[in-house]
Amino acid sequence: MNPTDHRRQERLAELFAERSAWVGRQPPSTPAEETAETTVLVVLRDLDLPGLVDGAREFAARLAEDEAEAWRRSWTRARFLFGNPANLAGRSPARLVAGRGGTAWLGPFPSGRLPGPTRLLKPVSGELPPLPEVVEFPHGEDGTTPYRELHVGIRDLTLAEYLVHLHHTLAESVLRGRLGAGEPLRLIHRPDLDADAARTGPAYARVHYAPGGAPGLRLYTWLSPETHP
Amino acid sequence: MTPPTLAPTPSGPPAAEGRAGGRRILLAPVTVSPTKPLTPTHLKYLLSLDLLHRATATFSEVTFLYRHATYAGSRQVAGFWDHLDRHHPDLAYEALGEEDIGELYSAYHRAERLPYAAIEPMVRRAEDGWTHPVSARLLDLWEGHYRLLGLFDPELGRTGPEPAPEAEVLDLLVRRDLCVRPAVPGAPVFLDATAAGLPLRVVVGADGQANYLLYLLRELVPLLDGHDLVVLAHDTELRTDYQTVAHVLRALGVEVRLFEVPRVAVNGVVQSTRAGGWRDHTMGALAGPLIEEFGPDAFRLGLRLYLVAGLGRTARESFSLRHLRRWARRASALLAAHGDGGQGRMTAAEVDAVGRHLAPLAGRRGYADPYQVATELMSRDPEVPVAELLGVVTGRTEAPRALRERVG
């Protein structure tokens, strides 16, 4: 490892440790080690970015304090399932439905006691479909509120992995008060993120192990700092 | 609920038979794929359907939908054809017997499973209506069996309506919240009956291959508009799949009943034809000695009574040649007691008499239960029109084959 790479990995390790500290646990030594007592279920009819991005923020913002607390200590664990929220209505009503009915949030639930009907659904699978490089989620009436930028590095990610990284970023940024549920947001997809770009105090950065057991840590997302007009 | 809007294809549905003005019933069984010998399981299934069809037609209009080509694109059929072309390109299929083909089919299931991309050209050919000579050969052999069995249609499965296009059916199901179809490469498409407590069921795999459930729906959906009740017949192993299909069809606005037929054990073992286990129990092996001893009519009736009534709704006991012989003797006596089941075609009044007897027994179910009909034949109750019922069961309601207009 050359000195630049070494510095970069050190910086990523700090961000990784910082998140673990927020959760209140030691950084996991493997991706599977993040134990979760509380799980949120996200049901998707399809990948609908507006529904997902707005819904995830709103869901996190609406949680009661004790629920948010329990979910934080469980690394804001979410499971993503293919299904149609419309057909869940009678059995396990969703906490929040977004994106013209296509995406729904249920829970948080104790991890060992997920509601029965969700067992009828199937875990999200498949490749990440081609995504636009930039997607904007405008909010506010006057159009004067500046956009925050959320960068996502998508190289080699499956759809499920993309959802995991994006969802943690949105939920944790909101829970930590670093992103508003209704704040204008620009989602930017790049193959790789420049870890140096995230050095100047991002509002949030998601760092985790590289996929497929590759050595080192990888920067998956980062959120631009809050702007103070 | 409004009925679905897909129009039937130009070739149209098969003609309805039976009593005009009654309820319009669509009898839609899963077909036995022409890839293997007919075994006691298949015979019980086909003869139960034959009884159900003939008896129900005495009081309702019945459309029987049974088209082998509908499922030809599935892995079970097209995969087998592809396997034969790879491994036996020069076989003279027209000279093979059912057992030979059964051995080839078992070998196909033991062979390595090829990815969908490898068999896709064969799937496309099958969907375009091509039939591999191995299945053409089996259909010819089966036609001989069907004639021997006195089945209502010896050309069963050779014709039928064209299925609706896949995309049209999936679009309709998605609009009605009956299908989850993510626009995600490498993700499956699911039938969604979760509102009825059933798990999502794959209809198009991650590799893009549709399975038999989608073929079934493509065939059924255009026909729903013209029918009041759909009877879906299937074997016990497919129960959850058919419950899912039933939920989908109900949500599209028709009434649905499931008619389930159990598999028949041979020597204490219930196993799929692909595993073998049919040896010495094919039609060829069963029919000869019994026809010689009791004649064709008693063989036909005896086989129906044994498989439908004798083995019953659950078929707990193994198939036994000794018991079949006993039932053939009993059938022979029954035919003798009722003037050999009568001669010539039944009059409308005779058919109506049977209809008046069977309709109340069918009740809310809407179709005649074959087990009930078979047991009625052995009733000593003077109210039961046994002679006429025998006429219905043995096909005397139907015009002689040669005079009948070809359907489809």
Side-chain angles (χ1 to χ4, degrees), chain A residues 206-221:
Chain A
R206 174 155 175 89
V207 172
H208 218 285
Y209 291 104
L217 294 167
R218 174 172 161 183
L219 177 65
Y220 286 98
T221 70

Side-chain angles (χ1 to χ4, degrees), chain A residues 7-26:
Chain A
R7 268 202 309 281
R8 218 171 262 153
Q9 282 293 322
E10 273 185 347
R11 173 62 186 148
L12 292 179
E14 278 170 30
L15 291 166
F16 193 42
E18 195 256 340
R19 178 191 178 228
S20 303
W22 173 72
V23 169
R25 298 182 190 250
Q26 290 297 312

